[in-house]
Amino acid sequence: MAQRPENKAPPQVFYDPKEARKYIYHTHTVEVQTRLAERALELLDLDPSTLEQGPALILDLGCGTGLSGDVLSRAGHLWVGLDIAAAMLSVAVERDVDGDLIQLDLGAGLPFQIGCFDGAVSISVLQWLCHADASDQDPRKRLFTFFMTLYACLRRGARAVFQFYPSHERQVAFIFAQAKRAGFDGGLVVDYPNSTRAKKFYLVLQAGPAERATTMRQQALSPAVARRFVEPMTDDVSEDEASLCETRAPAGNTAIAAVPKNRQQNVSRKSVHRRVQSVRRLIEKQRLRRLRQGKPVRPLSKYSGRKRSSHF
Amino acid sequence: MRLLTHNLLICPVHKKPLAIRNVSAVDIIPVEYQPRFLLRMIPRLDWSLLRAAAVSVESDCVDALPEAAPSPSELPALEKAVESGDRLPLLDALQRLLLETHVVGGQLHCEHGEFYVIADGIPNLLADAAVNPSETASEQAACTTEGS
Ligand SMILES: C[S@@+](CC[C@H](N)C(=O)[O-])C[C@H]1O[C@@H](n2cnc3c(N)ncnc32)[C@H](O)[C@@H]1O
Ligand SMILES: [Zn+2]
């Protein structure tokens, strides 16, 4: 079996310019990441009363080159992407992503005001936080700091959805324990539980009870998913609990049936098209003004007049 | 980085707002008008930080920002105006500042002295990327003393 990337090198080393290229040129990688992000957005189950008031403000934790962020943009949302790897972020800038980007280490905590984000997604990242990259790094402490600061900057009742690749069952329990300690409630959703290759894990966390409309939202969840939300989180991180992600996934087609149904319902809501505007002229104007004022300006670059979705 | 994101950001070490300084490049990128989103954001904003940011990037919108944020009691009236399709100068200013104004190059200063660099629109908030002028200054001072 191939060695897991997080065992090879720290993320800022592993995700070098060459690795970052894969996230634009490997069609398969792009497709997979996009599909995972679409599913995460669906599980985020954004508050309908929020959506009535325009876009949601969403965190993309470990945004990389912005493939997951593109899914958020296409759905009309505004996002802030956080990543540790400079090479990945450079590619995101090159790709003209719509979201804002910040370079930071998630394990050091999130530096945001309280209650400002409507939700968070994270695609193929969480397993990295279970690793110590230096002798003074304690994954338990880093995960706890991460979850605690994430909880703080989410609106009450908002969700965070993590698609990730647990290395073994105990790791899932380990992550749960830290999330719960930080105040989150939630559970694990397993898509395609019976397929070794297609099987995907989503940790779905909720930051406290919603301020309003709680009952409505919970009823709206398909029963299979709703049931699984409350089940897995327990204080006890025993071996038994650790294996729940495998054993509690329904043996038959229940989980699989429930999940794609949910998916279909949501497709139309997301199919908002991007309209591209030309904005170079305005930027040129701003540049000229700065030049007139004797201020330093950047030459018009690929960054200027980046095309963006009509939303953001 | 949009001024909206800047407004929500705090120093990773001291948890204090960060002041935008030494701005070398700003981009203005128009996007679709989002009055309801902006109204929803008002209660989450640090208003004085927004005003200071608008000054730092030398925005045309500085004068359109009132001294204080609209109070919760004023919001329903604003919402009503938006519903009836009125174009409000306050929301125009917030649209321009929060959603369309990007700091592309500059620095984020913490009141405790250290700062973080914004390059290519991306603030680097990694722990080892914080620049501590007092430390560098005292290190330099130490070197000069040793040298003499
Ligand atoms: C497999 S890539 C996924 C990128 C993106 N979410 C996507 O779906 O295309 C994992 C990303 O997690 C980031 N990452 C890993 N550990 C991190 C940490 N401690 N802090 C911030 N980002 C991290 C890596 O730099 C990398 O960009
Ligand atoms: Zn500080």
Side-chain angles (χ1 to χ4, degrees), chain B residues 11-15 18 110-112 114 116:
Chain B
C11 168
V13 183
H14 307 98
K15 320 291 175 206
L18 294 161
C110 174
E111 63 180 43
H112 288 263
E114 86 281 13
Y116 304 85

Side-chain angles (χ1 to χ4, degrees), chain B residues 66-80:
Chain B
E67 295 269 324
S71 68
S73 61
E74 288 170 85
L75 288 179
L78 291 174
E79 269 162 35
K80 242 174 123 186

Side-chain angles (χ1 to χ4, degrees), chain A residues 180-192:
Chain A
K180 182 147 196 208
R181 214 150 67 86
F184 279 108
D185 248 327
L188 197 71
V189 171
V190 187
D191 278 2
Y192 313 108

Side-chain angles (χ1 to χ4, degrees), chain A residues 37-285:
Chain A
E38 283 169 354
R39 177 68 170 132
L41 176 60
E42 192 178 290
L43 290 170
L44 203 55
D45 189 35
L46 290 162
D47 185 348
S49 68
T50 300
L51 294 180
E52 268 167 33
Q53 296 171 55
L57 184 58
I58 299 176
L59 276 175
D60 186 346
L61 308 162
C63 62
T65 62
L67 295 177
S68 33
D70 283 350
V71 170
L72 302 176
S73 297
R74 277 198 289 272
H77 299 305
L78 174 61
W79 54 276
V80 177
L82 314 176
D83 206 285
I84 196 172
M88 295 294 269
L89 292 170
S90 302
V91 173
V93 170
E94 234 175 87
R95 290 183 63 247
D96 266 353
V97 296
D98 292 337
D100 279 348
L101 306 167
I102 300 177
Q103 189 177 5
L104 53 73
D105 172 15
L106 296 172
L110 307 185
F112 294 104
Q113 307 273 13
I114 288 169
C116 49
F117 289 95
D118 300 311
V121 294
S122 177
I123 308 300
S124 319
V125 178
L126 203 49
Q127 69 277 1
W128 283 98
L129 286 176
C130 298
H131 270 258
D133 295 320
S135 55
D136 60 343
Q137 274 193 3
D138 175 1
R140 182 186 303 268
K141 232 164 109 186
R142 281 166 57 76
L143 269 174
F144 176 62
T145 306
F146 166 66
F147 283 128
M148 198 179 59
T149 51
L150 174 63
Y151 188 100
C153 74
L154 288 176
R155 263 176 45 165
R156 283 321 83 195
R159 283 190 186 163
V161 178
F162 301 82
Q163 178 278 326
F164 70 120
Y165 296 102
S167 59
H168 45 75
E169 292 159 21
R170 280 198 69 84
Q171 195 180 59
V172 178
F174 175 66
I175 293 172
F176 268 160
Q178 302 317 313
K180 182 147 196 208
R181 214 150 67 86
F184 279 108
D185 248 327
L188 197 71
V189 171
V190 187
D191 278 2
Y192 313 108
N194 300 320
S195 155
T196 352
R197 285 199 58 203
K199 187 169 177 175
K200 291 288 179 304
F201 296 90
Y202 297 83
L203 177 63
V204 182
L205 300 177
Q206 182 156 329
E211 282 151 353
R212 53 189 168 199
T214 321
T215 39
M216 250 175 53
R217 288 182 69 206
Q218 283 185 349
Q219 276 164 8
L221 282 171
S222 76
V225 175
R227 181 157 26 85
R228 283 129 119 332
F229 274 163
V230 272
E231 260 181 345
M233 297 283 276
T234 58
D235 289 316
D236 183 21
V237 192
S238 67
E239 199 73 45
D240 270 6
E241 281 304 325
S243 62
L244 55 87
C245 63
E246 304 288 347
T247 53
R248 287 201 193 163
N253 288 330
T254 341
I256 311 170
V259 165
K261 191 167 145 245
N262 189 340
R263 174 173 303 179
Q264 266 169 13
Q265 285 166 353
N266 283 281
V267 172
S268 57
R269 202 178 66 198
K270 286 191 309 233
S271 52
V272 185
H273 294 289
R274 287 168 69 125
R275 260 185 292 130
V276 173
Q277 308 174 333
S278 164
V279 293
R280 253 185 116 88
R281 237 176 19 166
L282 233 136
I283 293 162
E284 182 67 48
K285 249 172 66 189

